[in-house]
Amino acid sequence: MLFKKIADNREDDSYATAMRRKRFGFFLELLAGLPRPLTILDVGGTQAFWERMAFVDEPGVNITVLNLDPQTVHHAGFISIIGDATDLSLFADDAFDVTFSNSVIEHVGDMAKQRRMAEEVVRVGRRYFVQTPNYYFPIEPHYLFPGFQWLPLETRAWLLHHYDLGWTKRKATREAARQSVAAVKLLRKKEVLALFPHANLYEEKVAGLTKSFVVYGGW
């Protein structure tokens, strides 16, 4: 399953958006050395993300947004494709100059599916840039609940069944809540490096703690 981005509905001036912009600045530094025309595959993304990063209508840049559901695109250079992050077989090897993914790999399923996504990201892009939250950061980034990811599954399901948590509205049934919390599998540093063994690693810090990991390669 590929995460249908909820985060892109947040307010532009939110702290989360500010963090994404800082991270995106690092991505732009990497892009700066690449010749145009340039093709980017955004795995699990939306055009709204690129709008918030003020990176639309860029001359010579074509961005393919791949998601489970069709995405609205109206800027030149954007196209939307329905697809699954764990199966990019519609694309040839090195089909894109850059494969980009922001907070998606923790939503695709178990470690086997995460490994498949990682392999596909590396396969279809000459370069890649993948971000994912850190399992050990004390504030869970989707539910905004301290230590939420460390609680037993049934405790997390009970909480989400009874309360709105972070960006997620309370679920009407216990089973729906259970499915929701079970669908998020945050990664540890060693797991990220195992998925992308040849990558460079950038650790995004908040108050000295690693909030998320960025792996990038091929640059």
Side-chain angles (χ1 to χ4, degrees):
M1 181 179 67
L2 175 62
F3 176 44
K4 180 182 176 183
K5 298 296 256 320
I6 297 171
D8 288 333
N9 293 324
R10 303 170 192 172
E11 293 296 327
D12 277 321
D13 59 354
S14 70
Y15 181 73
T17 297
M19 293 294 293
R20 286 198 297 272
R21 284 180 176 149
K22 181 178 179 181
R23 184 189 314 135
F24 195 75
F26 175 53
F27 177 64
L28 291 181
E29 290 177 8
L30 295 174
L31 281 189
L34 300 183
R36 309 291 175 93
L38 180 66
T39 57
I40 299 173
L41 174 66
D42 182 0
V43 180
T46 66
Q47 183 183 261
F49 170 84
W50 298 89
E51 289 176 332
R52 289 201 171 125
M53 298 302 106
F55 196 82
V56 292
D57 299 324
E58 290 284 323
V61 177
N62 294 288
I63 300 176
T64 299
V65 176
L66 180 140
N67 213 309
L68 283 179
D69 297 323
Q71 301 296 306
T72 300
V73 294
H74 51 267
H75 289 283
F78 278 83
I79 63 171
S80 170
I81 291 181
I82 297 174
D84 188 319
T86 65
D87 181 8
L88 302 178
S89 57
L90 66 164
F91 303 121
D93 295 357
D94 295 334
F96 296 88
D97 295 311
V98 179
T99 312
F100 178 94
S101 187
N102 186 73
S103 292
V104 173
I105 197 168
E106 69 272 17
H107 295 271
V108 299
D110 59 19
M111 182 58 73
K113 291 182 178 179
Q114 290 176 327
R115 182 174 297 107
R116 181 58 181 162
M117 174 180 167
E119 292 170 350
E120 288 287 81
V121 162
V122 174
R123 181 185 67 80
V124 304
R126 298 181 183 89
R127 304 159 191 85
Y128 58 89
F129 185 98
V130 177
Q131 180 271 349
T132 190
N134 177 19
Y135 173 82
Y136 288 114
F137 190 71
I139 306 297
E140 205 284 339
H142 308 94
Y143 303 102
L144 300 184
F145 190 101
F148 188 77
Q149 67 272 35
W150 307 327
L151 297 174
L153 175 65
E154 290 305 319
T155 303
R156 286 179 280 156
W158 185 91
L159 286 167
L160 188 57
H161 178 41
H162 289 83
Y163 303 101
D164 295 343
L165 297 176
W167 315 114
T168 308
K169 296 295 184 181
R170 64 176 293 275
K171 301 301 181 182
T173 68
R174 185 70 169 270
E175 180 57 28
R178 185 181 295 109
Q179 291 178 6
S180 178
V181 298
V184 180
K185 185 184 181 303
L186 297 180
L187 291 163
R188 301 161 177 83
K189 180 177 179 178
K190 65 179 182 180
E191 293 171 327
V192 173
L193 292 176
L195 290 172
F196 297 91
H198 305 297
N200 298 301
L201 177 69
Y202 168 71
E203 298 187 36
E204 186 177 52
K205 302 283 187 177
V206 173
L209 301 175
T210 299
K211 182 178 183 294
S212 69
F213 304 110
V214 174
V215 285
Y216 60 103
W219 302 89

